[in-house]
């Protein structure tokens, strides 16, 4: 029986082994491992890729969002609007800054925050909106930006899953006032460890994030503000530079896989398939279907040698960390979290792997 992993990171490494190994040797031979030339080069290249002026490499995606909020002086007594349907890191960033996350339900068809519900959640304490480009599909940014302008709010993109995705032809990372990216190994642009970045066109925010990531220091041993230790190291920056050169090609492979899934699975009426608005160019970080008997289907696929994951089994407001939110009525999010299942997806997959998954789904008997 052919076994199909959810994501094959080893094969992705082997494809670029020569380039990645050379990058490793270059850094190791340099004798400089923190905040050096590789980081500066990656920041410049990723800023160009996102079509923004500034990129600041940080320790991880959560830190990217947290440091943005700190740089904007959003904290105790403030509120930040977040999607109710997301990974908990979006909420945690707000909490770490001392502010309060205010959840807004998603559009059931795209899983992203529903712009028509945002205005009702705004209060005099609201300082920002943090849309998430979930599963690699951009949120509907134009109405979000219009609402933000009307109420003088900042818009922070959580772009952790959307490296290279486009909204009306423009890449994520430059759609709001600033954006936070994650380079966790499983991301479309993934490092070989943790990593993250902030992108923005705002020079003051960029400089503040640079200072905050480095103990609040601009000059060594001089600390003007209380900062943090959150720096993207030279090795990860070097690896990311290599992988950035291949990102569009690898995203293209993901699109072909998604197209094949969408075509082959259309006839399976027990599945709800992803929907893509005409203005969106997703990068398919995750290919998510929905079914009422999700756990049974996941077991069936596992018995067929196919690994699947659930993104995510428990919504943030039902997590113990946010026990104060457990009485919230968020039925759309709860329905999504109970029914979603993520099928194998990644640049190392080919058409035969997708065909195998589809045949296993065809054999499933509700």
């Amino acid at each position: 029986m052919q076994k199909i992993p959810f994501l094959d990171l080893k094969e992705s490494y082997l494809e670029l082994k020569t380039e990645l190994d050379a990058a490793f040797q270059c850094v190791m031979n340099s004798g400089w491992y923190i905040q050096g030339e590789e980081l500066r080069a990656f920041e410049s290249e990723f800023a160009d890729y996102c079509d923004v002026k500034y990129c600041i490499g940080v320790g991880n995606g959560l830190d990217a969002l947290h440091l943005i909020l700190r740089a904007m002086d959003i904290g105790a007594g403030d509120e930040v609007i977040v999607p109710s349907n997301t990974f908990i890191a979006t909420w945690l960033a707000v909490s770490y800054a001392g502010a309060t996350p205010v959840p807004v339900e998603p559009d059931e068809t795209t899983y992203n925050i529903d712009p028509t519900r945002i205005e009702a959640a705004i209060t005099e304490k609201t300082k920002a909106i943090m849309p998430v480009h979930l599963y690699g599909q951009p949120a509907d940014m134009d109405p979000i930006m219009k609402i933000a302008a009307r109420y003088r709010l900042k818009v922070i993109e959580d772009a952790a899953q959307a490296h290279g995705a486009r909204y009306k032809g423009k890449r994520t990372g430059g759609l709001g006032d600033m954006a936070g990216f994650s380079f966790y190994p499983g991301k479309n642009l993934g490092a070989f460890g943790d990593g993250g970045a902030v992108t923005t066109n705002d020079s003051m925010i960029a400089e503040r994030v640079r200072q905050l990531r480095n103990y609040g220091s601009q000059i060594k041993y001089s600390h003007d503000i209380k900062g943090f230790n959150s720096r993207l190291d030279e090795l990860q920056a070097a690896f990311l530079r290599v992988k950035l050169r291949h990102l569009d090609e690898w995203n293209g492979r993901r699109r072909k896989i998604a197209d094949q899934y969408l075509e082959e699975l259309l006839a399976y009426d027990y599945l709800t398939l992803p929907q893509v608005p005409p203005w969106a160019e997703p990068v398919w970080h995750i290919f998510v279907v929905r079914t009422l008997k999700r756990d049974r289907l996941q077991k069936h696929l596992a018995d067929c040698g196919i690994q699947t994951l659930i993104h995510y089994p428990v919504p943030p407001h039902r997590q113990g960390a946010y026990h104060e939110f457990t009485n919230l009525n968020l039925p759309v999010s709860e329905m999504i979290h109970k029914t979603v299942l993520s099928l194998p997806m990644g640049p190392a997959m080919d058409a035969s792997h997708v065909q195998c998954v589809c045949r296993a789904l065809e054999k499933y008997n509700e």
Side-chain angles (χ1 to χ4, degrees):
M1 179 174 64
Q2 183 180 17
K3 291 189 179 296
I4 299 178
F6 177 75
L7 174 64
D8 194 333
L9 292 176
K10 182 177 179 180
E11 281 300 317
S12 296
Y13 160 67
L14 292 175
E15 181 178 340
L16 304 181
K17 184 180 188 308
T18 300
E19 294 175 73
L20 291 167
D21 288 357
F24 171 81
Q25 291 297 336
C26 181
V27 173
M28 297 307 294
N29 288 329
S30 75
W32 194 284
Y33 308 121
I34 294 287
Q35 291 193 269
E37 291 301 321
E38 292 292 341
L39 176 60
R40 284 188 282 273
F42 172 72
E43 289 175 335
S44 175
E45 291 161 8
F46 194 61
D48 288 345
Y49 181 83
C50 295
D51 195 24
V52 296
K53 294 179 181 178
Y54 309 103
C55 168
I56 306 96
V58 297
N60 54 69
L62 172 55
D63 282 359
L65 297 174
H66 172 217
L67 294 181
I68 288 170
L69 292 166
R70 292 278 185 175
M72 295 168 56
D73 292 320
I74 292 176
D78 297 331
E79 295 177 349
V80 178
I81 291 175
V82 296
S84 57
N85 175 49
T86 184
F87 181 56
I88 198 171
T90 312
W91 289 41
L92 287 175
V94 178
S95 298
Y96 284 178
T100 301
V102 177
V104 169
E105 288 271 67
D107 180 323
E108 185 180 335
T109 63
T110 66
Y111 310 125
N112 282 323
I113 193 169
D114 185 346
T116 66
R117 298 174 183 257
I118 290 176
E119 202 159 4
I122 295 173
T123 72
E124 60 183 13
K125 297 180 180 179
T126 307
K127 293 295 186 293
I129 307 170
M130 190 181 286
V132 178
H133 305 310
L134 198 65
Y135 305 149
Q137 178 157 286
D140 191 0
M141 293 298 293
D142 280 356
I144 294 172
M145 296 301 292
K146 287 179 182 177
I147 293 169
R150 191 178 309 137
Y151 290 91
R152 297 183 180 179
L153 306 175
K154 294 295 185 180
V155 176
I156 304 162
E157 299 170 72
D158 182 339
Q161 301 182 8
H163 315 74
R166 294 181 188 270
Y167 175 79
K168 297 185 178 180
K170 188 175 180 180
R171 288 198 200 274
T172 56
L175 301 172
D177 295 294
M178 56 281 301
F181 284 89
S182 166
F183 302 129
Y184 181 78
K187 306 298 186 185
N188 291 45
L189 181 60
F192 291 86
D194 271 322
V198 172
T199 58
T200 184
N201 286 309
D202 187 320
S203 61
M204 292 182 65
I205 291 294
E207 193 55 39
R208 191 85 186 278
V209 171
R210 281 196 193 94
Q211 189 174 6
L212 284 165
R213 75 174 175 184
N214 189 38
Y215 300 100
S217 173
Q218 292 175 308
I219 301 172
K220 194 167 185 177
Y221 300 132
S222 176
H223 306 271
D224 301 317
I225 58 176
K226 296 182 180 71
F228 304 86
N229 177 12
S230 181
R231 301 172 296 196
L232 181 65
D233 67 62
E234 287 290 282
L235 270 176
Q236 300 304 338
F239 293 147
L240 288 166
R241 291 185 68 199
V242 171
K243 296 183 83 173
L244 181 59
R245 297 196 289 267
H246 299 270
L247 179 57
D248 285 342
E249 178 195 349
W250 283 15
N251 282 344
R253 294 183 198 174
R254 288 174 178 268
R255 289 190 181 98
K256 288 182 180 179
I257 293 166
D259 288 345
Q260 188 176 350
Y261 274 142
L262 291 169
E263 181 179 349
E264 299 249 359
L265 302 181
L266 188 61
Y268 304 167
D269 56 10
Y270 69 90
L271 293 177
T272 299
L273 301 181
Q275 295 187 33
V276 181
W279 39 256
E281 295 178 44
V283 290
W284 299 103
H285 170 57
I286 302 171
F287 189 94
V288 175
V289 298
R290 293 206 326 263
T291 181
L292 293 175
K293 297 181 179 179
R294 186 261 313 284
D295 295 344
R296 182 177 170 185
L297 177 58
Q298 186 174 39
K299 183 180 184 305
H300 164 75
L301 291 173
D303 291 343
C304 295
I306 297 166
Q307 183 186 24
T308 59
L309 296 177
I310 299 171
H311 297 88
Y312 300 95
V314 182
H317 74 285
R318 294 295 186 198
Q319 300 281 357
Y322 286 100
H323 57 86
E324 67 270 32
F325 288 91
T326 54
N327 292 328
L328 282 181
N329 182 30
L330 299 170
V332 180
S333 287
E334 291 182 22
M335 177 275 297
I336 288 172
H337 285 254
K338 288 177 182 176
T339 58
V340 289
L341 185 66
S342 303
L343 302 181
M345 168 62 76
M349 286 186 72
D350 61 26
S352 68
H353 296 134
V354 181
Q355 191 72 20
C356 183
V357 176
C358 293
R359 293 295 73 80
L361 288 166
E362 184 179 30
K363 294 175 183 175
Y364 174 64
N365 183 359
E366 283 194 279

